[in-house]
Amino acid sequence: MSSTPGGGSTQTDGPATGPADRLGLKPGMVVQELGWDNDADDELRVAIEDRIDADLVDGDYGNVVDAVLLWWRDEDGDLVDGLVDALTDLVGGGAIWLLTPKVGRPNAVDPADIAEAAPIAGLAQTTTAAVSKDWSATRLLAPKTPA
């Protein structure tokens, strides 16, 4: 028996189990993507765009964004600098999802490096989620701006 009148489909159709759902992204959010390269997971990108019902915006967007996807590899340089740059357009209280190759994959980022870099950049690390076969996502929160 369906609890939905008419048994029709709902937008979410069941529990949040997809990678974009695990990131807590919602339709209408503006999500900026930084650090994309040809090794980025295109299935994850498409799932995120489907979830927010919009295209990802890039670093030239020039307006505030609700969340940032930062693809980061060990060879990309100073993580603190990358995180600070990712804060440029992020709304106060917004999230940076730091996407890094999983441990054991080429260019994996040591979790201790993330734990060290986040507070230096003024961010609080909250959760880590497996979002694809090769990538993990670490949620970093920006401080809320006073009203």
Side-chain angles (χ1 to χ4, degrees), residues 29-67:
M29 289 181 103
V30 178
V31 179
Q32 184 176 56
E33 179 182 43
L34 303 173
W36 179 91
D37 205 342
N38 60 9
D39 64 345
D41 188 305
D42 285 331
E43 285 184 27
L44 175 60
R45 296 175 74 244
V46 168
I48 290 168
E49 288 180 334
D50 287 348
R51 182 71 179 132
I52 64 172
D53 197 27
D55 291 336
L56 298 170
V57 299
D58 63 17
D60 297 328
Y61 180 63
N63 206 339
V64 295
V65 298
D66 300 303

PDB file of all heavy atoms in Angstrom, residues 29-67:
ATOM      1  N   MET A  29      20.101  24.730  -5.203  1.00  0.00           N
ATOM      2  CA  MET A  29      21.383  25.178  -4.655  1.00  0.00           C
ATOM      3  C   MET A  29      22.324  25.558  -5.803  1.00  0.00           C
ATOM      4  O   MET A  29      22.280  24.963  -6.877  1.00  0.00           O
ATOM      5  CB  MET A  29      22.046  24.089  -3.811  1.00  0.00           C
ATOM      6  CG  MET A  29      21.362  23.810  -2.498  1.00  0.00           C
ATOM      7  SD  MET A  29      22.235  22.524  -1.557  1.00  0.00           S
ATOM      8  CE  MET A  29      23.074  23.531  -0.359  1.00  0.00           C
ATOM      9  N   VAL A  30      23.166  26.548  -5.542  1.00  0.00           N
ATOM     10  CA  VAL A  30      24.226  26.917  -6.483  1.00  0.00           C
ATOM     11  C   VAL A  30      25.504  26.257  -5.977  1.00  0.00           C
ATOM     12  O   VAL A  30      25.943  26.517  -4.855  1.00  0.00           O
ATOM     13  CB  VAL A  30      24.393  28.448  -6.573  1.00  0.00           C
ATOM     14  CG1 VAL A  30      25.534  28.798  -7.522  1.00  0.00           C
ATOM     15  CG2 VAL A  30      23.093  29.107  -7.022  1.00  0.00           C
ATOM     16  N   VAL A  31      26.076  25.374  -6.806  1.00  0.00           N
ATOM     17  CA  VAL A  31      27.257  24.617  -6.414  1.00  0.00           C
ATOM     18  C   VAL A  31      28.399  24.955  -7.377  1.00  0.00           C
ATOM     19  O   VAL A  31      28.261  24.806  -8.584  1.00  0.00           O
ATOM     20  CB  VAL A  31      26.977  23.097  -6.411  1.00  0.00           C
ATOM     21  CG1 VAL A  31      28.224  22.323  -6.017  1.00  0.00           C
ATOM     22  CG2 VAL A  31      25.825  22.775  -5.463  1.00  0.00           C
ATOM     23  N   GLN A  32      29.495  25.406  -6.798  1.00  0.00           N
ATOM     24  CA  GLN A  32      30.678  25.770  -7.572  1.00  0.00           C
ATOM     25  C   GLN A  32      31.645  24.588  -7.598  1.00  0.00           C
ATOM     26  O   GLN A  32      31.869  23.937  -6.579  1.00  0.00           O
ATOM     27  CB  GLN A  32      31.356  26.985  -6.926  1.00  0.00           C
ATOM     28  CG  GLN A  32      32.541  27.521  -7.683  1.00  0.00           C
ATOM     29  CD  GLN A  32      33.082  28.771  -7.014  1.00  0.00           C
ATOM     30  OE1 GLN A  32      33.417  28.759  -5.832  1.00  0.00           O
ATOM     31  NE2 GLN A  32      33.144  29.846  -7.763  1.00  0.00           N
ATOM     32  N   GLU A  33      32.217  24.335  -8.754  1.00  0.00           N
ATOM     33  CA  GLU A  33      33.181  23.246  -8.911  1.00  0.00           C
ATOM     34  C   GLU A  33      34.558  23.839  -9.200  1.00  0.00           C
ATOM     35  O   GLU A  33      34.718  24.623 -10.135  1.00  0.00           O
ATOM     36  CB  GLU A  33      32.746  22.334 -10.060  1.00  0.00           C
ATOM     37  CG  GLU A  33      33.701  21.193 -10.318  1.00  0.00           C
ATOM     38  CD  GLU A  33      33.269  20.335 -11.490  1.00  0.00           C
ATOM     39  OE1 GLU A  33      32.854  20.894 -12.534  1.00  0.00           O
ATOM     40  OE2 GLU A  33      33.347  19.103 -11.363  1.00  0.00           O
ATOM     41  N   LEU A  34      35.535  23.447  -8.386  1.00  0.00           N
ATOM     42  CA  LEU A  34      36.909  23.898  -8.566  1.00  0.00           C
ATOM     43  C   LEU A  34      37.827  22.683  -8.647  1.00  0.00           C
ATOM     44  O   LEU A  34      37.552  21.653  -8.023  1.00  0.00           O
ATOM     45  CB  LEU A  34      37.334  24.780  -7.386  1.00  0.00           C
ATOM     46  CG  LEU A  34      36.476  26.020  -7.116  1.00  0.00           C
ATOM     47  CD1 LEU A  34      36.910  26.689  -5.817  1.00  0.00           C
ATOM     48  CD2 LEU A  34      36.558  26.997  -8.276  1.00  0.00           C
ATOM     49  N   GLY A  35      38.913  22.801  -9.379  1.00  0.00           N
ATOM     50  CA  GLY A  35      39.909  21.735  -9.437  1.00  0.00           C
ATOM     51  C   GLY A  35      39.553  20.579 -10.348  1.00  0.00           C
ATOM     52  O   GLY A  35      40.186  19.524 -10.289  1.00  0.00           O
ATOM     53  N   TRP A  36      38.545  20.769 -11.223  1.00  0.00           N
ATOM     54  CA  TRP A  36      38.172  19.696 -12.135  1.00  0.00           C
ATOM     55  C   TRP A  36      39.362  19.361 -13.033  1.00  0.00           C
ATOM     56  O   TRP A  36      40.122  20.228 -13.454  1.00  0.00           O
ATOM     57  CB  TRP A  36      36.988  20.118 -13.015  1.00  0.00           C
ATOM     58  CG  TRP A  36      36.602  19.044 -13.988  1.00  0.00           C
ATOM     59  CD1 TRP A  36      35.691  18.069 -13.784  1.00  0.00           C
ATOM     60  CD2 TRP A  36      37.137  18.826 -15.294  1.00  0.00           C
ATOM     61  NE1 TRP A  36      35.625  17.244 -14.885  1.00  0.00           N
ATOM     62  CE2 TRP A  36      36.507  17.687 -15.826  1.00  0.00           C
ATOM     63  CE3 TRP A  36      38.091  19.468 -16.066  1.00  0.00           C
ATOM     64  CZ2 TRP A  36      36.795  17.178 -17.089  1.00  0.00           C
ATOM     65  CZ3 TRP A  36      38.395  18.968 -17.322  1.00  0.00           C
ATOM     66  CH2 TRP A  36      37.737  17.834 -17.820  1.00  0.00           C
ATOM     67  N   ASP A  37      39.532  18.089 -13.327  1.00  0.00           N
ATOM     68  CA  ASP A  37      40.513  17.621 -14.302  1.00  0.00           C
ATOM     69  C   ASP A  37      39.944  16.354 -14.924  1.00  0.00           C
ATOM     70  O   ASP A  37      38.892  15.868 -14.500  1.00  0.00           O
ATOM     71  CB  ASP A  37      41.859  17.349 -13.623  1.00  0.00           C
ATOM     72  CG  ASP A  37      43.035  17.451 -14.605  1.00  0.00           C
ATOM     73  OD1 ASP A  37      42.809  17.381 -15.834  1.00  0.00           O
ATOM     74  OD2 ASP A  37      44.175  17.598 -14.146  1.00  0.00           O
ATOM     75  N   ASN A  38      40.646  15.805 -15.905  1.00  0.00           N
ATOM     76  CA  ASN A  38      40.094  14.662 -16.626  1.00  0.00           C
ATOM     77  C   ASN A  38      39.952  13.405 -15.768  1.00  0.00           C
ATOM     78  O   ASN A  38      39.314  12.454 -16.182  1.00  0.00           O
ATOM     79  CB  ASN A  38      40.896  14.371 -17.902  1.00  0.00           C
ATOM     80  CG  ASN A  38      42.349  14.063 -17.611  1.00  0.00           C
ATOM     81  OD1 ASN A  38      42.743  13.897 -16.453  1.00  0.00           O
ATOM     82  ND2 ASN A  38      43.152  14.000 -18.652  1.00  0.00           N
ATOM     83  N   ASP A  39      40.515  13.401 -14.554  1.00  0.00           N
ATOM     84  CA  ASP A  39      40.341  12.250 -13.665  1.00  0.00           C
ATOM     85  C   ASP A  39      39.122  12.382 -12.754  1.00  0.00           C
ATOM     86  O   ASP A  39      38.796  11.476 -12.000  1.00  0.00           O
ATOM     87  CB  ASP A  39      41.603  12.020 -12.816  1.00  0.00           C
ATOM     88  CG  ASP A  39      41.900  13.172 -11.869  1.00  0.00           C
ATOM     89  OD1 ASP A  39      41.331  14.280 -12.039  1.00  0.00           O
ATOM     90  OD2 ASP A  39      42.719  12.978 -10.962  1.00  0.00           O
ATOM     91  N   ALA A  40      38.429  13.523 -12.818  1.00  0.00           N
ATOM     92  CA  ALA A  40      37.237  13.733 -11.985  1.00  0.00           C
ATOM     93  C   ALA A  40      36.156  12.718 -12.385  1.00  0.00           C
ATOM     94  O   ALA A  40      36.099  12.259 -13.524  1.00  0.00           O
ATOM     95  CB  ALA A  40      36.716  15.158 -12.153  1.00  0.00           C
ATOM     96  N   ASP A  41      35.311  12.363 -11.448  1.00  0.00           N
ATOM     97  CA  ASP A  41      34.278  11.360 -11.663  1.00  0.00           C
ATOM     98  C   ASP A  41      33.056  12.002 -12.326  1.00  0.00           C
ATOM     99  O   ASP A  41      32.280  12.702 -11.679  1.00  0.00           O
ATOM    100  CB  ASP A  41      33.900  10.728 -10.318  1.00  0.00           C
ATOM    101  CG  ASP A  41      32.983   9.545 -10.480  1.00  0.00           C
ATOM    102  OD1 ASP A  41      31.920   9.702 -11.113  1.00  0.00           O
ATOM    103  OD2 ASP A  41      33.329   8.471  -9.973  1.00  0.00           O
ATOM    104  N   ASP A  42      32.896  11.746 -13.632  1.00  0.00           N
ATOM    105  CA  ASP A  42      31.797  12.364 -14.375  1.00  0.00           C
ATOM    106  C   ASP A  42      30.431  11.870 -13.923  1.00  0.00           C
ATOM    107  O   ASP A  42      29.467  12.632 -13.944  1.00  0.00           O
ATOM    108  CB  ASP A  42      31.973  12.157 -15.884  1.00  0.00           C
ATOM    109  CG  ASP A  42      33.052  13.063 -16.462  1.00  0.00           C
ATOM    110  OD1 ASP A  42      33.252  14.167 -15.911  1.00  0.00           O
ATOM    111  OD2 ASP A  42      33.693  12.669 -17.459  1.00  0.00           O
ATOM    112  N   GLU A  43      30.324  10.598 -13.504  1.00  0.00           N
ATOM    113  CA  GLU A  43      29.034  10.100 -13.009  1.00  0.00           C
ATOM    114  C   GLU A  43      28.604  10.867 -11.765  1.00  0.00           C
ATOM    115  O   GLU A  43      27.426  11.204 -11.604  1.00  0.00           O
ATOM    116  CB  GLU A  43      29.117   8.609 -12.702  1.00  0.00           C
ATOM    117  CG  GLU A  43      29.126   7.736 -13.939  1.00  0.00           C
ATOM    118  CD  GLU A  43      29.122   6.256 -13.599  1.00  0.00           C
ATOM    119  OE1 GLU A  43      28.615   5.879 -12.514  1.00  0.00           O
ATOM    120  OE2 GLU A  43      29.629   5.479 -14.424  1.00  0.00           O
ATOM    121  N   LEU A  44      29.553  11.163 -10.887  1.00  0.00           N
ATOM    122  CA  LEU A  44      29.249  11.941  -9.685  1.00  0.00           C
ATOM    123  C   LEU A  44      28.821  13.353 -10.070  1.00  0.00           C
ATOM    124  O   LEU A  44      27.853  13.882  -9.536  1.00  0.00           O
ATOM    125  CB  LEU A  44      30.463  11.978  -8.749  1.00  0.00           C
ATOM    126  CG  LEU A  44      30.313  12.848  -7.506  1.00  0.00           C
ATOM    127  CD1 LEU A  44      29.155  12.377  -6.634  1.00  0.00           C
ATOM    128  CD2 LEU A  44      31.624  12.857  -6.718  1.00  0.00           C
ATOM    129  N   ARG A  45      29.520  13.954 -11.007  1.00  0.00           N
ATOM    130  CA  ARG A  45      29.179  15.313 -11.442  1.00  0.00           C
ATOM    131  C   ARG A  45      27.755  15.371 -11.997  1.00  0.00           C
ATOM    132  O   ARG A  45      26.982  16.271 -11.679  1.00  0.00           O
ATOM    133  CB  ARG A  45      30.181  15.801 -12.488  1.00  0.00           C
ATOM    134  CG  ARG A  45      31.592  15.918 -11.930  1.00  0.00           C
ATOM    135  CD  ARG A  45      32.620  16.288 -12.995  1.00  0.00           C
ATOM    136  NE  ARG A  45      32.453  17.706 -13.322  1.00  0.00           N
ATOM    137  CZ  ARG A  45      32.082  18.143 -14.517  1.00  0.00           C
ATOM    138  NH1 ARG A  45      31.843  17.317 -15.506  1.00  0.00           N
ATOM    139  NH2 ARG A  45      31.965  19.456 -14.729  1.00  0.00           N
ATOM    140  N   VAL A  46      27.404  14.404 -12.835  1.00  0.00           N
ATOM    141  CA  VAL A  46      26.060  14.354 -13.423  1.00  0.00           C
ATOM    142  C   VAL A  46      25.014  14.144 -12.320  1.00  0.00           C
ATOM    143  O   VAL A  46      23.964  14.794 -12.316  1.00  0.00           O
ATOM    144  CB  VAL A  46      25.978  13.251 -14.505  1.00  0.00           C
ATOM    145  CG1 VAL A  46      24.531  12.983 -14.912  1.00  0.00           C
ATOM    146  CG2 VAL A  46      26.809  13.646 -15.711  1.00  0.00           C
ATOM    147  N   ALA A  47      25.306  13.253 -11.360  1.00  0.00           N
ATOM    148  CA  ALA A  47      24.369  13.012 -10.258  1.00  0.00           C
ATOM    149  C   ALA A  47      24.141  14.285  -9.449  1.00  0.00           C
ATOM    150  O   ALA A  47      23.018  14.576  -9.032  1.00  0.00           O
ATOM    151  CB  ALA A  47      24.897  11.895  -9.353  1.00  0.00           C
ATOM    152  N   ILE A  48      25.195  15.063  -9.239  1.00  0.00           N
ATOM    153  CA  ILE A  48      25.067  16.315  -8.493  1.00  0.00           C
ATOM    154  C   ILE A  48      24.234  17.310  -9.293  1.00  0.00           C
ATOM    155  O   ILE A  48      23.323  17.953  -8.752  1.00  0.00           O
ATOM    156  CB  ILE A  48      26.445  16.874  -8.139  1.00  0.00           C
ATOM    157  CG1 ILE A  48      27.104  15.979  -7.079  1.00  0.00           C
ATOM    158  CG2 ILE A  48      26.347  18.326  -7.667  1.00  0.00           C
ATOM    159  CD1 ILE A  48      28.569  16.256  -6.847  1.00  0.00           C
ATOM    160  N   GLU A  49      24.512  17.453 -10.585  1.00  0.00           N
ATOM    161  CA  GLU A  49      23.730  18.373 -11.412  1.00  0.00           C
ATOM    162  C   GLU A  49      22.260  17.964 -11.460  1.00  0.00           C
ATOM    163  O   GLU A  49      21.370  18.815 -11.411  1.00  0.00           O
ATOM    164  CB  GLU A  49      24.330  18.466 -12.815  1.00  0.00           C
ATOM    165  CG  GLU A  49      25.643  19.228 -12.828  1.00  0.00           C
ATOM    166  CD  GLU A  49      26.267  19.332 -14.205  1.00  0.00           C
ATOM    167  OE1 GLU A  49      26.008  18.465 -15.074  1.00  0.00           O
ATOM    168  OE2 GLU A  49      27.035  20.296 -14.418  1.00  0.00           O
ATOM    169  N   ASP A  50      22.003  16.657 -11.533  1.00  0.00           N
ATOM    170  CA  ASP A  50      20.614  16.180 -11.507  1.00  0.00           C
ATOM    171  C   ASP A  50      19.961  16.522 -10.165  1.00  0.00           C
ATOM    172  O   ASP A  50      18.804  16.929 -10.112  1.00  0.00           O
ATOM    173  CB  ASP A  50      20.549  14.669 -11.730  1.00  0.00           C
ATOM    174  CG  ASP A  50      20.842  14.268 -13.173  1.00  0.00           C
ATOM    175  OD1 ASP A  50      20.870  15.154 -14.056  1.00  0.00           O
ATOM    176  OD2 ASP A  50      21.061  13.063 -13.411  1.00  0.00           O
ATOM    177  N   ARG A  51      20.699  16.351  -9.077  1.00  0.00           N
ATOM    178  CA  ARG A  51      20.160  16.598  -7.728  1.00  0.00           C
ATOM    179  C   ARG A  51      19.830  18.070  -7.513  1.00  0.00           C
ATOM    180  O   ARG A  51      18.795  18.398  -6.940  1.00  0.00           O
ATOM    181  CB  ARG A  51      21.169  16.115  -6.676  1.00  0.00           C
ATOM    182  CG  ARG A  51      20.689  16.286  -5.261  1.00  0.00           C
ATOM    183  CD  ARG A  51      19.575  15.293  -4.964  1.00  0.00           C
ATOM    184  NE  ARG A  51      19.143  15.444  -3.593  1.00  0.00           N
ATOM    185  CZ  ARG A  51      17.876  15.544  -3.239  1.00  0.00           C
ATOM    186  NH1 ARG A  51      16.920  15.484  -4.124  1.00  0.00           N
ATOM    187  NH2 ARG A  51      17.558  15.683  -1.978  1.00  0.00           N
ATOM    188  N   ILE A  52      20.715  18.979  -7.969  1.00  0.00           N
ATOM    189  CA  ILE A  52      20.468  20.413  -7.750  1.00  0.00           C
ATOM    190  C   ILE A  52      19.627  21.018  -8.869  1.00  0.00           C
ATOM    191  O   ILE A  52      19.245  22.184  -8.797  1.00  0.00           O
ATOM    192  CB  ILE A  52      21.788  21.209  -7.576  1.00  0.00           C
ATOM    193  CG1 ILE A  52      22.647  21.162  -8.846  1.00  0.00           C
ATOM    194  CG2 ILE A  52      22.542  20.702  -6.353  1.00  0.00           C
ATOM    195  CD1 ILE A  52      23.870  22.071  -8.816  1.00  0.00           C
ATOM    196  N   ASP A  53      19.345  20.217  -9.901  1.00  0.00           N
ATOM    197  CA  ASP A  53      18.547  20.648 -11.042  1.00  0.00           C
ATOM    198  C   ASP A  53      19.153  21.884 -11.713  1.00  0.00           C
ATOM    199  O   ASP A  53      18.455  22.822 -12.081  1.00  0.00           O
ATOM    200  CB  ASP A  53      17.096  20.918 -10.612  1.00  0.00           C
ATOM    201  CG  ASP A  53      16.152  20.961 -11.807  1.00  0.00           C
ATOM    202  OD1 ASP A  53      16.459  20.316 -12.829  1.00  0.00           O
ATOM    203  OD2 ASP A  53      15.104  21.645 -11.714  1.00  0.00           O
ATOM    204  N   ALA A  54      20.476  21.860 -11.854  1.00  0.00           N
ATOM    205  CA  ALA A  54      21.197  22.977 -12.485  1.00  0.00           C
ATOM    206  C   ALA A  54      22.604  22.510 -12.834  1.00  0.00           C
ATOM    207  O   ALA A  54      23.056  21.465 -12.365  1.00  0.00           O
ATOM    208  CB  ALA A  54      21.273  24.170 -11.529  1.00  0.00           C
ATOM    209  N   ASP A  55      23.288  23.313 -13.634  1.00  0.00           N
ATOM    210  CA  ASP A  55      24.684  23.039 -13.937  1.00  0.00           C
ATOM    211  C   ASP A  55      25.557  23.516 -12.783  1.00  0.00           C
ATOM    212  O   ASP A  55      25.200  24.460 -12.065  1.00  0.00           O
ATOM    213  CB  ASP A  55      25.118  23.778 -15.209  1.00  0.00           C
ATOM    214  CG  ASP A  55      24.460  23.230 -16.467  1.00  0.00           C
ATOM    215  OD1 ASP A  55      24.055  22.043 -16.458  1.00  0.00           O
ATOM    216  OD2 ASP A  55      24.355  23.977 -17.450  1.00  0.00           O
ATOM    217  N   LEU A  56      26.708  22.877 -12.630  1.00  0.00           N
ATOM    218  CA  LEU A  56      27.710  23.375 -11.687  1.00  0.00           C
ATOM    219  C   LEU A  56      28.285  24.663 -12.263  1.00  0.00           C
ATOM    220  O   LEU A  56      28.377  24.811 -13.475  1.00  0.00           O
ATOM    221  CB  LEU A  56      28.826  22.336 -11.508  1.00  0.00           C
ATOM    222  CG  LEU A  56      28.396  20.985 -10.926  1.00  0.00           C
ATOM    223  CD1 LEU A  56      29.522  19.974 -11.039  1.00  0.00           C
ATOM    224  CD2 LEU A  56      27.976  21.143  -9.481  1.00  0.00           C
ATOM    225  N   VAL A  57      28.657  25.596 -11.393  1.00  0.00           N
ATOM    226  CA  VAL A  57      29.284  26.833 -11.852  1.00  0.00           C
ATOM    227  C   VAL A  57      30.783  26.733 -11.592  1.00  0.00           C
ATOM    228  O   VAL A  57      31.229  25.959 -10.749  1.00  0.00           O
ATOM    229  CB  VAL A  57      28.674  28.084 -11.171  1.00  0.00           C
ATOM    230  CG1 VAL A  57      27.181  28.188 -11.497  1.00  0.00           C
ATOM    231  CG2 VAL A  57      28.894  28.081  -9.672  1.00  0.00           C
ATOM    232  N   ASP A  58      31.565  27.541 -12.322  1.00  0.00           N
ATOM    233  CA  ASP A  58      33.016  27.462 -12.162  1.00  0.00           C
ATOM    234  C   ASP A  58      33.538  28.644 -11.346  1.00  0.00           C
ATOM    235  O   ASP A  58      32.764  29.433 -10.791  1.00  0.00           O
ATOM    236  CB  ASP A  58      33.713  27.363 -13.524  1.00  0.00           C
ATOM    237  CG  ASP A  58      33.492  28.592 -14.404  1.00  0.00           C
ATOM    238  OD1 ASP A  58      33.089  29.663 -13.890  1.00  0.00           O
ATOM    239  OD2 ASP A  58      33.732  28.483 -15.615  1.00  0.00           O
ATOM    240  N   GLY A  59      34.832  28.782 -11.284  1.00  0.00           N
ATOM    241  CA  GLY A  59      35.463  29.822 -10.473  1.00  0.00           C
ATOM    242  C   GLY A  59      35.209  31.235 -10.964  1.00  0.00           C
ATOM    243  O   GLY A  59      35.437  32.195 -10.240  1.00  0.00           O
ATOM    244  N   ASP A  60      34.733  31.390 -12.192  1.00  0.00           N
ATOM    245  CA  ASP A  60      34.449  32.716 -12.747  1.00  0.00           C
ATOM    246  C   ASP A  60      33.014  33.158 -12.493  1.00  0.00           C
ATOM    247  O   ASP A  60      32.579  34.178 -13.010  1.00  0.00           O
ATOM    248  CB  ASP A  60      34.708  32.719 -14.265  1.00  0.00           C
ATOM    249  CG  ASP A  60      36.161  32.441 -14.589  1.00  0.00           C
ATOM    250  OD1 ASP A  60      37.034  32.835 -13.785  1.00  0.00           O
ATOM    251  OD2 ASP A  60      36.422  31.835 -15.642  1.00  0.00           O
ATOM    252  N   TYR A  61      32.271  32.414 -11.700  1.00  0.00           N
ATOM    253  CA  TYR A  61      30.843  32.664 -11.482  1.00  0.00           C
ATOM    254  C   TYR A  61      30.582  34.080 -10.971  1.00  0.00           C
ATOM    255  O   TYR A  61      29.682  34.754 -11.437  1.00  0.00           O
ATOM    256  CB  TYR A  61      30.282  31.614 -10.524  1.00  0.00           C
ATOM    257  CG  TYR A  61      28.816  31.761 -10.210  1.00  0.00           C
ATOM    258  CD1 TYR A  61      27.851  31.647 -11.199  1.00  0.00           C
ATOM    259  CD2 TYR A  61      28.390  32.003  -8.909  1.00  0.00           C
ATOM    260  CE1 TYR A  61      26.503  31.769 -10.909  1.00  0.00           C
ATOM    261  CE2 TYR A  61      27.044  32.125  -8.608  1.00  0.00           C
ATOM    262  CZ  TYR A  61      26.109  32.013  -9.619  1.00  0.00           C
ATOM    263  OH  TYR A  61      24.782  32.138  -9.323  1.00  0.00           O
ATOM    264  N   GLY A  62      31.357  34.534  -9.983  1.00  0.00           N
ATOM    265  CA  GLY A  62      31.260  35.915  -9.524  1.00  0.00           C
ATOM    266  C   GLY A  62      30.096  36.245  -8.612  1.00  0.00           C
ATOM    267  O   GLY A  62      29.749  37.413  -8.456  1.00  0.00           O
ATOM    268  N   ASN A  63      29.464  35.254  -8.021  1.00  0.00           N
ATOM    269  CA  ASN A  63      28.372  35.502  -7.084  1.00  0.00           C
ATOM    270  C   ASN A  63      28.513  34.475  -5.967  1.00  0.00           C
ATOM    271  O   ASN A  63      29.328  33.565  -6.048  1.00  0.00           O
ATOM    272  CB  ASN A  63      27.021  35.372  -7.787  1.00  0.00           C
ATOM    273  CG  ASN A  63      25.939  36.193  -7.116  1.00  0.00           C
ATOM    274  OD1 ASN A  63      26.044  36.554  -5.944  1.00  0.00           O
ATOM    275  ND2 ASN A  63      24.885  36.497  -7.862  1.00  0.00           N
ATOM    276  N   VAL A  64      27.715  34.606  -4.904  1.00  0.00           N
ATOM    277  CA  VAL A  64      27.837  33.654  -3.797  1.00  0.00           C
ATOM    278  C   VAL A  64      27.264  32.294  -4.200  1.00  0.00           C
ATOM    279  O   VAL A  64      26.353  32.209  -5.017  1.00  0.00           O
ATOM    280  CB  VAL A  64      27.153  34.165  -2.501  1.00  0.00           C
ATOM    281  CG1 VAL A  64      27.853  35.391  -1.982  1.00  0.00           C
ATOM    282  CG2 VAL A  64      25.683  34.406  -2.707  1.00  0.00           C
ATOM    283  N   VAL A  65      27.840  31.249  -3.614  1.00  0.00           N
ATOM    284  CA  VAL A  65      27.400  29.888  -3.876  1.00  0.00           C
ATOM    285  C   VAL A  65      27.071  29.218  -2.546  1.00  0.00           C
ATOM    286  O   VAL A  65      27.595  29.592  -1.497  1.00  0.00           O
ATOM    287  CB  VAL A  65      28.469  29.088  -4.656  1.00  0.00           C
ATOM    288  CG1 VAL A  65      28.727  29.725  -6.020  1.00  0.00           C
ATOM    289  CG2 VAL A  65      29.765  28.960  -3.878  1.00  0.00           C
ATOM    290  N   ASP A  66      26.199  28.207  -2.608  1.00  0.00           N
ATOM    291  CA  ASP A  66      25.778  27.486  -1.413  1.00  0.00           C
ATOM    292  C   ASP A  66      26.785  26.426  -0.983  1.00  0.00           C
ATOM    293  O   ASP A  66      26.874  26.092   0.193  1.00  0.00           O
ATOM    294  CB  ASP A  66      24.421  26.808  -1.667  1.00  0.00           C
ATOM    295  CG  ASP A  66      23.344  27.822  -2.017  1.00  0.00           C
ATOM    296  OD1 ASP A  66      23.117  28.740  -1.204  1.00  0.00           O
ATOM    297  OD2 ASP A  66      22.752  27.713  -3.107  1.00  0.00           O
ATOM    298  N   ALA A  67      27.503  25.882  -1.958  1.00  0.00           N
ATOM    299  CA  ALA A  67      28.468  24.826  -1.675  1.00  0.00           C
ATOM    300  C   ALA A  67      29.558  24.847  -2.746  1.00  0.00           C
ATOM    301  O   ALA A  67      29.337  25.331  -3.853  1.00  0.00           O
ATOM    302  CB  ALA A  67      27.791  23.457  -1.652  1.00  0.00           C
TER     303      ALA A  67
END
